[in-house]
PDB file of all heavy atoms in Angstrom:
ATOM      1  N   ALA A  79     -21.550  29.914  69.001  1.00  0.00           N
ATOM      2  CA  ALA A  79     -22.501  30.825  69.668  1.00  0.00           C
ATOM      3  C   ALA A  79     -23.961  30.385  69.551  1.00  0.00           C
ATOM      4  O   ALA A  79     -24.721  30.688  70.448  1.00  0.00           O
ATOM      5  CB  ALA A  79     -22.272  32.206  69.046  1.00  0.00           C
ATOM      6  N   VAL A  80     -24.245  29.667  68.435  1.00  0.00           N
ATOM      7  CA  VAL A  80     -25.690  29.273  68.308  1.00  0.00           C
ATOM      8  C   VAL A  80     -25.825  27.817  68.828  1.00  0.00           C
ATOM      9  O   VAL A  80     -26.900  27.211  68.604  1.00  0.00           O
ATOM     10  CB  VAL A  80     -26.114  29.334  66.811  1.00  0.00           C
ATOM     11  CG1 VAL A  80     -26.041  30.761  66.353  1.00  0.00           C
ATOM     12  CG2 VAL A  80     -25.215  28.427  65.915  1.00  0.00           C
ATOM     13  N   GLY A  81     -24.880  27.334  69.641  1.00  0.00           N
ATOM     14  CA  GLY A  81     -25.057  26.082  70.313  1.00  0.00           C
ATOM     15  C   GLY A  81     -24.604  24.817  69.597  1.00  0.00           C
ATOM     16  O   GLY A  81     -24.818  23.747  70.051  1.00  0.00           O
ATOM     17  N   LEU A  82     -23.848  24.943  68.503  1.00  0.00           N
ATOM     18  CA  LEU A  82     -23.387  23.821  67.755  1.00  0.00           C
ATOM     19  C   LEU A  82     -22.030  23.343  68.272  1.00  0.00           C
ATOM     20  O   LEU A  82     -21.195  24.203  68.729  1.00  0.00           O
ATOM     21  CB  LEU A  82     -23.251  24.115  66.238  1.00  0.00           C
ATOM     22  CG  LEU A  82     -24.551  24.553  65.582  1.00  0.00           C
ATOM     23  CD1 LEU A  82     -24.319  24.854  64.116  1.00  0.00           C
ATOM     24  CD2 LEU A  82     -25.654  23.484  65.706  1.00  0.00           C
ATOM     25  N   THR A  83     -21.758  22.091  68.215  1.00  0.00           N
ATOM     26  CA  THR A  83     -20.495  21.505  68.700  1.00  0.00           C
ATOM     27  C   THR A  83     -20.053  20.427  67.763  1.00  0.00           C
ATOM     28  O   THR A  83     -20.740  19.931  66.903  1.00  0.00           O
ATOM     29  CB  THR A  83     -20.666  20.922  70.064  1.00  0.00           C
ATOM     30  OG1 THR A  83     -21.700  19.854  70.021  1.00  0.00           O
ATOM     31  CG2 THR A  83     -21.052  21.977  71.085  1.00  0.00           C
ATOM     32  N   GLY A  84     -18.761  20.060  67.949  1.00  0.00           N
ATOM     33  CA  GLY A  84     -18.235  18.903  67.194  1.00  0.00           C
ATOM     34  C   GLY A  84     -18.319  18.985  65.715  1.00  0.00           C
ATOM     35  O   GLY A  84     -18.175  20.094  65.133  1.00  0.00           O
ATOM     36  N   PRO A  85     -18.593  17.851  64.994  1.00  0.00           N
ATOM     37  CA  PRO A  85     -18.583  17.855  63.552  1.00  0.00           C
ATOM     38  C   PRO A  85     -19.661  18.779  62.963  1.00  0.00           C
ATOM     39  O   PRO A  85     -19.451  19.359  61.855  1.00  0.00           O
ATOM     40  CB  PRO A  85     -18.879  16.338  63.226  1.00  0.00           C
ATOM     41  CG  PRO A  85     -18.429  15.606  64.389  1.00  0.00           C
ATOM     42  CD  PRO A  85     -18.697  16.488  65.579  1.00  0.00           C
ATOM     43  N   VAL A  86     -20.805  18.867  63.624  1.00  0.00           N
ATOM     44  CA  VAL A  86     -21.875  19.790  63.103  1.00  0.00           C
ATOM     45  C   VAL A  86     -21.399  21.207  63.122  1.00  0.00           C
ATOM     46  O   VAL A  86     -21.647  21.939  62.216  1.00  0.00           O
ATOM     47  CB  VAL A  86     -23.155  19.609  63.939  1.00  0.00           C
ATOM     48  CG1 VAL A  86     -24.161  20.616  63.550  1.00  0.00           C
ATOM     49  CG2 VAL A  86     -23.706  18.214  63.813  1.00  0.00           C
ATOM     50  N   ALA A  87     -20.685  21.661  64.132  1.00  0.00           N
ATOM     51  CA  ALA A  87     -20.132  23.002  64.267  1.00  0.00           C
ATOM     52  C   ALA A  87     -19.219  23.253  63.055  1.00  0.00           C
ATOM     53  O   ALA A  87     -19.181  24.278  62.479  1.00  0.00           O
ATOM     54  CB  ALA A  87     -19.505  23.246  65.549  1.00  0.00           C
ATOM     55  N   ARG A  88     -18.363  22.250  62.788  1.00  0.00           N
ATOM     56  CA  ARG A  88     -17.362  22.409  61.739  1.00  0.00           C
ATOM     57  C   ARG A  88     -18.058  22.493  60.396  1.00  0.00           C
ATOM     58  O   ARG A  88     -17.688  23.285  59.520  1.00  0.00           O
ATOM     59  CB  ARG A  88     -16.420  21.255  61.705  1.00  0.00           C
ATOM     60  CG  ARG A  88     -15.440  21.263  62.909  1.00  0.00           C
ATOM     61  CD  ARG A  88     -14.244  20.284  62.706  1.00  0.00           C
ATOM     62  NE  ARG A  88     -14.734  18.882  62.828  1.00  0.00           N
ATOM     63  CZ  ARG A  88     -14.778  18.184  63.927  1.00  0.00           C
ATOM     64  NH1 ARG A  88     -14.510  18.797  65.101  1.00  0.00           N
ATOM     65  NH2 ARG A  88     -15.189  16.973  63.933  1.00  0.00           N
ATOM     66  N   LYS A  89     -19.105  21.746  60.177  1.00  0.00           N
ATOM     67  CA  LYS A  89     -19.880  21.817  58.911  1.00  0.00           C
ATOM     68  C   LYS A  89     -20.568  23.170  58.795  1.00  0.00           C
ATOM     69  O   LYS A  89     -20.600  23.757  57.719  1.00  0.00           O
ATOM     70  CB  LYS A  89     -20.940  20.676  58.868  1.00  0.00           C
ATOM     71  CG  LYS A  89     -20.373  19.286  58.705  1.00  0.00           C
ATOM     72  CD  LYS A  89     -21.506  18.237  58.664  1.00  0.00           C
ATOM     73  CE  LYS A  89     -20.912  16.807  58.559  1.00  0.00           C
ATOM     74  NZ  LYS A  89     -22.037  15.837  58.586  1.00  0.00           N
ATOM     75  N   ALA A  90     -21.144  23.641  59.909  1.00  0.00           N
ATOM     76  CA  ALA A  90     -21.844  24.923  59.884  1.00  0.00           C
ATOM     77  C   ALA A  90     -20.809  26.052  59.560  1.00  0.00           C
ATOM     78  O   ALA A  90     -21.109  26.942  58.770  1.00  0.00           O
ATOM     79  CB  ALA A  90     -22.527  25.189  61.171  1.00  0.00           C
ATOM     80  N   ALA A  91     -19.659  25.970  60.179  1.00  0.00           N
ATOM     81  CA  ALA A  91     -18.617  27.006  59.924  1.00  0.00           C
ATOM     82  C   ALA A  91     -18.178  27.027  58.441  1.00  0.00           C
ATOM     83  O   ALA A  91     -18.019  28.056  57.859  1.00  0.00           O
ATOM     84  CB  ALA A  91     -17.439  26.759  60.826  1.00  0.00           C
ATOM     85  N   ALA A  92     -18.018  25.819  57.888  1.00  0.00           N
ATOM     86  CA  ALA A  92     -17.661  25.716  56.473  1.00  0.00           C
ATOM     87  C   ALA A  92     -18.736  26.323  55.596  1.00  0.00           C
ATOM     88  O   ALA A  92     -18.450  27.010  54.616  1.00  0.00           O
ATOM     89  CB  ALA A  92     -17.373  24.302  56.097  1.00  0.00           C
ATOM     90  N   LEU A  93     -19.997  26.043  55.909  1.00  0.00           N
ATOM     91  CA  LEU A  93     -21.123  26.575  55.195  1.00  0.00           C
ATOM     92  C   LEU A  93     -21.132  28.124  55.229  1.00  0.00           C
ATOM     93  O   LEU A  93     -21.347  28.764  54.254  1.00  0.00           O
ATOM     94  CB  LEU A  93     -22.461  25.997  55.652  1.00  0.00           C
ATOM     95  CG  LEU A  93     -23.741  26.466  54.975  1.00  0.00           C
ATOM     96  CD1 LEU A  93     -24.765  25.322  54.827  1.00  0.00           C
ATOM     97  CD2 LEU A  93     -24.372  27.645  55.736  1.00  0.00           C
ATOM     98  N   MET A  94     -20.881  28.655  56.425  1.00  0.00           N
ATOM     99  CA  MET A  94     -20.819  30.101  56.591  1.00  0.00           C
ATOM    100  C   MET A  94     -19.812  30.720  55.717  1.00  0.00           C
ATOM    101  O   MET A  94     -20.044  31.811  55.092  1.00  0.00           O
ATOM    102  CB  MET A  94     -20.607  30.445  58.060  1.00  0.00           C
ATOM    103  CG  MET A  94     -21.741  30.099  58.979  1.00  0.00           C
ATOM    104  SD  MET A  94     -21.303  30.421  60.749  1.00  0.00           S
ATOM    105  CE  MET A  94     -22.752  29.718  61.565  1.00  0.00           C
ATOM    106  N   GLN A  95     -18.632  30.085  55.612  1.00  0.00           N
ATOM    107  CA  GLN A  95     -17.592  30.646  54.778  1.00  0.00           C
ATOM    108  C   GLN A  95     -18.005  30.578  53.306  1.00  0.00           C
ATOM    109  O   GLN A  95     -17.696  31.472  52.513  1.00  0.00           O
ATOM    110  CB  GLN A  95     -16.263  29.907  54.981  1.00  0.00           C
ATOM    111  CG  GLN A  95     -15.643  30.241  56.333  1.00  0.00           C
ATOM    112  CD  GLN A  95     -14.251  29.594  56.490  1.00  0.00           C
ATOM    113  OE1 GLN A  95     -14.128  28.413  56.667  1.00  0.00           O
ATOM    114  NE2 GLN A  95     -13.223  30.383  56.377  1.00  0.00           N
ATOM    115  N   SER A  96     -18.693  29.503  52.920  1.00  0.00           N
ATOM    116  CA  SER A  96     -19.189  29.406  51.502  1.00  0.00           C
ATOM    117  C   SER A  96     -20.239  30.464  51.263  1.00  0.00           C
ATOM    118  O   SER A  96     -20.243  31.032  50.147  1.00  0.00           O
ATOM    119  CB  SER A  96     -19.740  28.003  51.308  1.00  0.00           C
ATOM    120  OG  SER A  96     -18.762  26.996  51.423  1.00  0.00           O
ATOM    121  N   VAL A  97     -21.074  30.730  52.183  1.00  0.00           N
ATOM    122  CA  VAL A  97     -22.133  31.807  52.028  1.00  0.00           C
ATOM    123  C   VAL A  97     -21.442  33.134  51.802  1.00  0.00           C
ATOM    124  O   VAL A  97     -21.790  33.916  50.940  1.00  0.00           O
ATOM    125  CB  VAL A  97     -23.086  31.822  53.163  1.00  0.00           C
ATOM    126  CG1 VAL A  97     -23.978  33.065  53.108  1.00  0.00           C
ATOM    127  CG2 VAL A  97     -23.930  30.555  53.197  1.00  0.00           C
ATOM    128  N   ALA A  98     -20.358  33.394  52.596  1.00  0.00           N
ATOM    129  CA  ALA A  98     -19.658  34.650  52.454  1.00  0.00           C
ATOM    130  C   ALA A  98     -19.007  34.755  51.045  1.00  0.00           C
ATOM    131  O   ALA A  98     -18.935  35.798  50.423  1.00  0.00           O
ATOM    132  CB  ALA A  98     -18.609  34.756  53.515  1.00  0.00           C
ATOM    133  N   THR A  99     -18.481  33.642  50.530  1.00  0.00           N
ATOM    134  CA  THR A  99     -17.915  33.568  49.193  1.00  0.00           C
ATOM    135  C   THR A  99     -18.959  33.882  48.154  1.00  0.00           C
ATOM    136  O   THR A  99     -18.681  34.681  47.238  1.00  0.00           O
ATOM    137  CB  THR A  99     -17.302  32.206  48.952  1.00  0.00           C
ATOM    138  OG1 THR A  99     -16.273  31.958  49.900  1.00  0.00           O
ATOM    139  CG2 THR A  99     -16.753  32.145  47.541  1.00  0.00           C
ATOM    140  N   VAL A 100     -20.138  33.298  48.272  1.00  0.00           N
ATOM    141  CA  VAL A 100     -21.216  33.589  47.373  1.00  0.00           C
ATOM    142  C   VAL A 100     -21.568  35.073  47.347  1.00  0.00           C
ATOM    143  O   VAL A 100     -21.786  35.724  46.315  1.00  0.00           O
ATOM    144  CB  VAL A 100     -22.499  32.735  47.646  1.00  0.00           C
ATOM    145  CG1 VAL A 100     -23.628  33.147  46.728  1.00  0.00           C
ATOM    146  CG2 VAL A 100     -22.113  31.289  47.599  1.00  0.00           C
ATOM    147  N   PHE A 101     -21.694  35.606  48.548  1.00  0.00           N
ATOM    148  CA  PHE A 101     -22.070  37.007  48.755  1.00  0.00           C
ATOM    149  C   PHE A 101     -21.207  37.889  47.903  1.00  0.00           C
ATOM    150  O   PHE A 101     -21.598  38.875  47.199  1.00  0.00           O
ATOM    151  CB  PHE A 101     -21.955  37.355  50.248  1.00  0.00           C
ATOM    152  CG  PHE A 101     -22.548  38.774  50.578  1.00  0.00           C
ATOM    153  CD1 PHE A 101     -23.875  38.829  50.840  1.00  0.00           C
ATOM    154  CD2 PHE A 101     -21.737  39.859  50.690  1.00  0.00           C
ATOM    155  CE1 PHE A 101     -24.436  40.079  51.160  1.00  0.00           C
ATOM    156  CE2 PHE A 101     -22.275  41.103  50.986  1.00  0.00           C
ATOM    157  CZ  PHE A 101     -23.651  41.176  51.246  1.00  0.00           C
ATOM    158  N   HIS A 102     -19.887  37.654  47.931  1.00  0.00           N
ATOM    159  CA  HIS A 102     -18.922  38.439  47.183  1.00  0.00           C
ATOM    160  C   HIS A 102     -18.978  38.124  45.700  1.00  0.00           C
ATOM    161  O   HIS A 102     -18.899  38.995  44.850  1.00  0.00           O
ATOM    162  CB  HIS A 102     -17.468  38.221  47.753  1.00  0.00           C
ATOM    163  CG  HIS A 102     -16.407  38.911  46.990  1.00  0.00           C
ATOM    164  ND1 HIS A 102     -16.143  40.248  47.112  1.00  0.00           N
ATOM    165  CD2 HIS A 102     -15.553  38.437  46.007  1.00  0.00           C
ATOM    166  CE1 HIS A 102     -15.136  40.585  46.269  1.00  0.00           C
ATOM    167  NE2 HIS A 102     -14.756  39.520  45.615  1.00  0.00           N
ATOM    168  N   ALA A 103     -19.066  36.850  45.375  1.00  0.00           N
ATOM    169  CA  ALA A 103     -18.964  36.431  44.006  1.00  0.00           C
ATOM    170  C   ALA A 103     -20.122  36.940  43.120  1.00  0.00           C
ATOM    171  O   ALA A 103     -19.977  37.134  41.922  1.00  0.00           O
ATOM    172  CB  ALA A 103     -18.992  34.851  43.981  1.00  0.00           C
ATOM    173  N   VAL A 104     -21.305  37.092  43.731  1.00  0.00           N
ATOM    174  CA  VAL A 104     -22.490  37.565  42.918  1.00  0.00           C
ATOM    175  C   VAL A 104     -22.828  38.990  43.221  1.00  0.00           C
ATOM    176  O   VAL A 104     -23.913  39.452  42.715  1.00  0.00           O
ATOM    177  CB  VAL A 104     -23.694  36.590  43.178  1.00  0.00           C
ATOM    178  CG1 VAL A 104     -23.361  35.166  42.831  1.00  0.00           C
ATOM    179  CG2 VAL A 104     -24.256  36.708  44.584  1.00  0.00           C
ATOM    180  N   ASP A 105     -22.041  39.698  43.979  1.00  0.00           N
ATOM    181  CA  ASP A 105     -22.408  41.060  44.327  1.00  0.00           C
ATOM    182  C   ASP A 105     -23.755  41.197  44.993  1.00  0.00           C
ATOM    183  O   ASP A 105     -24.611  41.937  44.575  1.00  0.00           O
ATOM    184  CB  ASP A 105     -22.348  41.987  43.085  1.00  0.00           C
ATOM    185  CG  ASP A 105     -20.946  42.286  42.637  1.00  0.00           C
ATOM    186  OD1 ASP A 105     -20.090  42.608  43.552  1.00  0.00           O
ATOM    187  OD2 ASP A 105     -20.696  42.097  41.402  1.00  0.00           O
ATOM    188  N   ALA A 106     -23.968  40.335  45.998  1.00  0.00           N
ATOM    189  CA  ALA A 106     -25.237  40.307  46.682  1.00  0.00           C
ATOM    190  C   ALA A 106     -25.306  41.474  47.712  1.00  0.00           C
ATOM    191  O   ALA A 106     -24.229  41.985  48.201  1.00  0.00           O
ATOM    192  CB  ALA A 106     -25.470  39.012  47.432  1.00  0.00           C
ATOM    193  N   SER A 107     -26.523  41.942  47.943  1.00  0.00           N
ATOM    194  CA  SER A 107     -26.696  42.977  49.050  1.00  0.00           C
ATOM    195  C   SER A 107     -27.381  42.299  50.258  1.00  0.00           C
ATOM    196  O   SER A 107     -27.349  42.844  51.305  1.00  0.00           O
ATOM    197  CB  SER A 107     -27.524  44.107  48.563  1.00  0.00           C
ATOM    198  OG  SER A 107     -28.775  43.634  48.010  1.00  0.00           O
ATOM    199  N   LEU A 108     -27.884  41.081  50.042  1.00  0.00           N
ATOM    200  CA  LEU A 108     -28.543  40.325  51.150  1.00  0.00           C
ATOM    201  C   LEU A 108     -28.543  38.869  50.783  1.00  0.00           C
ATOM    202  O   LEU A 108     -28.886  38.418  49.691  1.00  0.00           O
ATOM    203  CB  LEU A 108     -29.973  40.814  51.347  1.00  0.00           C
ATOM    204  CG  LEU A 108     -30.835  39.980  52.349  1.00  0.00           C
ATOM    205  CD1 LEU A 108     -30.287  40.146  53.742  1.00  0.00           C
ATOM    206  CD2 LEU A 108     -32.283  40.312  52.232  1.00  0.00           C
ATOM    207  N   ILE A 109     -28.152  38.034  51.771  1.00  0.00           N
ATOM    208  CA  ILE A 109     -28.397  36.590  51.742  1.00  0.00           C
ATOM    209  C   ILE A 109     -28.976  36.177  53.089  1.00  0.00           C
ATOM    210  O   ILE A 109     -28.312  36.473  54.121  1.00  0.00           O
ATOM    211  CB  ILE A 109     -27.137  35.782  51.469  1.00  0.00           C
ATOM    212  CG1 ILE A 109     -26.560  36.104  50.039  1.00  0.00           C
ATOM    213  CG2 ILE A 109     -27.406  34.258  51.578  1.00  0.00           C
ATOM    214  CD1 ILE A 109     -25.335  35.329  49.686  1.00  0.00           C
ATOM    215  N   GLU A 110     -30.098  35.602  53.061  1.00  0.00           N
ATOM    216  CA  GLU A 110     -30.774  35.260  54.312  1.00  0.00           C
ATOM    217  C   GLU A 110     -31.240  33.803  54.182  1.00  0.00           C
ATOM    218  O   GLU A 110     -31.947  33.433  53.270  1.00  0.00           O
ATOM    219  CB  GLU A 110     -31.958  36.185  54.640  1.00  0.00           C
ATOM    220  CG  GLU A 110     -32.602  35.979  55.952  1.00  0.00           C
ATOM    221  CD  GLU A 110     -33.644  37.003  56.264  1.00  0.00           C
ATOM    222  OE1 GLU A 110     -34.606  37.113  55.447  1.00  0.00           O
ATOM    223  OE2 GLU A 110     -33.575  37.731  57.269  1.00  0.00           O
ATOM    224  N   ILE A 111     -30.810  32.985  55.155  1.00  0.00           N
ATOM    225  CA  ILE A 111     -31.211  31.587  55.226  1.00  0.00           C
ATOM    226  C   ILE A 111     -31.961  31.351  56.491  1.00  0.00           C
ATOM    227  O   ILE A 111     -31.388  31.350  57.567  1.00  0.00           O
ATOM    228  CB  ILE A 111     -29.938  30.693  55.161  1.00  0.00           C
ATOM    229  CG1 ILE A 111     -29.149  30.878  53.891  1.00  0.00           C
ATOM    230  CG2 ILE A 111     -30.368  29.167  55.293  1.00  0.00           C
ATOM    231  CD1 ILE A 111     -27.819  30.177  53.833  1.00  0.00           C
ATOM    232  N   ASN A 112     -33.224  31.140  56.358  1.00  0.00           N
ATOM    233  CA  ASN A 112     -34.103  31.036  57.515  1.00  0.00           C
ATOM    234  C   ASN A 112     -35.282  30.087  57.261  1.00  0.00           C
ATOM    235  O   ASN A 112     -36.214  30.484  56.627  1.00  0.00           O
ATOM    236  CB  ASN A 112     -34.674  32.410  57.928  1.00  0.00           C
ATOM    237  CG  ASN A 112     -35.394  32.369  59.264  1.00  0.00           C
ATOM    238  OD1 ASN A 112     -35.154  31.466  60.109  1.00  0.00           O
ATOM    239  ND2 ASN A 112     -36.201  33.300  59.521  1.00  0.00           N
ATOM    240  N   PRO A 113     -35.144  28.825  57.617  1.00  0.00           N
ATOM    241  CA  PRO A 113     -34.086  28.353  58.527  1.00  0.00           C
ATOM    242  C   PRO A 113     -32.916  27.701  57.859  1.00  0.00           C
ATOM    243  O   PRO A 113     -32.997  27.157  56.752  1.00  0.00           O
ATOM    244  CB  PRO A 113     -34.822  27.320  59.383  1.00  0.00           C
ATOM    245  CG  PRO A 113     -35.813  26.691  58.402  1.00  0.00           C
ATOM    246  CD  PRO A 113     -36.210  27.841  57.533  1.00  0.00           C
ATOM    247  N   LEU A 114     -31.772  27.718  58.524  1.00  0.00           N
ATOM    248  CA  LEU A 114     -30.644  26.872  58.293  1.00  0.00           C
ATOM    249  C   LEU A 114     -30.855  25.674  59.176  1.00  0.00           C
ATOM    250  O   LEU A 114     -30.981  25.849  60.435  1.00  0.00           O
ATOM    251  CB  LEU A 114     -29.388  27.611  58.627  1.00  0.00           C
ATOM    252  CG  LEU A 114     -28.015  26.790  58.506  1.00  0.00           C
ATOM    253  CD1 LEU A 114     -27.726  26.550  57.043  1.00  0.00           C
ATOM    254  CD2 LEU A 114     -26.902  27.590  59.175  1.00  0.00           C
TER     255      LEU A 114
END
């Protein structure tokens, strides 16, 4: 949706899943990455 394709899209998707894991693991209420 943000315009990524190929290997970069796969890396970004893996990073997103890792961020979601962190969010749960540390009981976060906000994680903001700007810019990624």
Side-chain angles (χ1 to χ4, degrees):
V80 297
L82 302 179
T83 59
V86 173
R88 289 193 291 272
K89 290 179 181 179
L93 180 143
M94 292 174 187
Q95 288 187 286
S96 295
V97 169
T99 299
V100 177
F101 190 85
H102 176 77
V104 302
D105 287 311
S107 57
L108 171 70
I109 296 180
E110 189 173 55
I111 301 174
N112 190 22
L114 176 70

